[in-house]
Amino acid sequence: MMHRNVGDLVSNRRVVSLPAEASVRDAAAQMKSAHVASVVVTESGDDHLEGIFTERDLTERVVAGGLDPETTRLSDVMTPCPITVGLETSVRDALRQMSSNSLRHLPIVEGGKVVGVISMRDFLGDELALLDREKEIMESLTEVL
């Protein structure tokens, strides 16, 4: 199971993307329609990644910030230049990347273009359990040192 790569997780998925000038309301509608919790923000007419907008951004930056979803642009509330991985990245390495950076969503980029997004929901229980076990070991080693 741990020998899978992230390309295996996104092989049949469509990337939900919008340009940076799109409104937060547009992004929320796209996320609802596609049943996803994030939208990649790309250059207009291109698949080159500028940022990512997630349900967490919607909650923390827009709603809690008192911003109007109709007039707020994604460029104002997205996470710019997000951490990314390639299609051949192992599931284990992707999980480590997400865990160490407190990420729920991780864009996959190949040839400079977004080809998918993985979320914590994409991983199997065994993979998450293994990551938890690795964290416990690292913490116990840190205590000893």
Side-chain angles (χ1 to χ4, degrees), residues 90-142:
S90 72
V91 167
R92 177 182 289 178
D93 288 343
L95 263 172
R96 282 188 187 129
Q97 191 73 270
M98 293 172 82
S99 177
S100 64
N101 292 291
S102 300
L103 304 174
R104 294 182 190 165
H105 302 89
L106 186 63
I108 302 167
V109 175
E110 219 36 58
K113 296 188 178 201
V114 181
V115 295
V117 177
I118 55 174
S119 76
M120 286 303 256
R121 289 181 254 188
D122 292 320
F123 298 105
L124 300 175
D126 290 345
E127 293 162 339
L128 292 173
L130 182 58
L131 181 65
D132 286 341
R133 181 67 185 129
E134 287 178 358
K135 278 184 183 179
E136 289 172 13
I137 292 169
M138 293 305 292
E139 287 171 0
S140 64
L141 288 174
T142 305

Side-chain angles (χ1 to χ4, degrees), residues 9-119:
L9 298 176
V10 297
S11 59
N12 293 319
R13 293 192 201 166
R14 179 177 71 88
V15 176
V16 179
S17 65
L18 287 170
E21 61 272 5
S23 73
V24 168
R25 184 174 306 286
D26 293 336
Q30 286 288 323
M31 291 189 302
K32 180 181 179 192
S33 173
H35 305 289
V36 296
S38 68
V39 171
V40 293
V41 181
T42 57
E43 294 178 19
S44 295
D46 199 326
D47 288 332
H48 286 86
L49 183 66
E50 287 188 29
I52 189 167
F53 180 76
T54 69
E55 61 190 358
R56 186 187 299 179
D57 296 323
L58 179 62
T59 304
E60 295 178 6
R61 295 179 179 173
V62 179
V63 176
L67 301 177
D68 179 359
E70 192 68 48
T71 60
T72 302
R73 302 287 153 231
L74 291 179
S75 58
D76 296 328
V77 290
M78 69 182 185
T79 300
C81 306
I83 294 169
T84 65
V85 295
L87 282 171
E88 297 301 318
T89 302
S90 72
V91 167
R92 177 182 289 178
D93 288 343
L95 263 172
R96 282 188 187 129
Q97 191 73 270
M98 293 172 82
S99 177
S100 64
N101 292 291
S102 300
L103 304 174
R104 294 182 190 165
H105 302 89
L106 186 63
I108 302 167
V109 175
E110 219 36 58
K113 296 188 178 201
V114 181
V115 295
V117 177
I118 55 174
S119 76

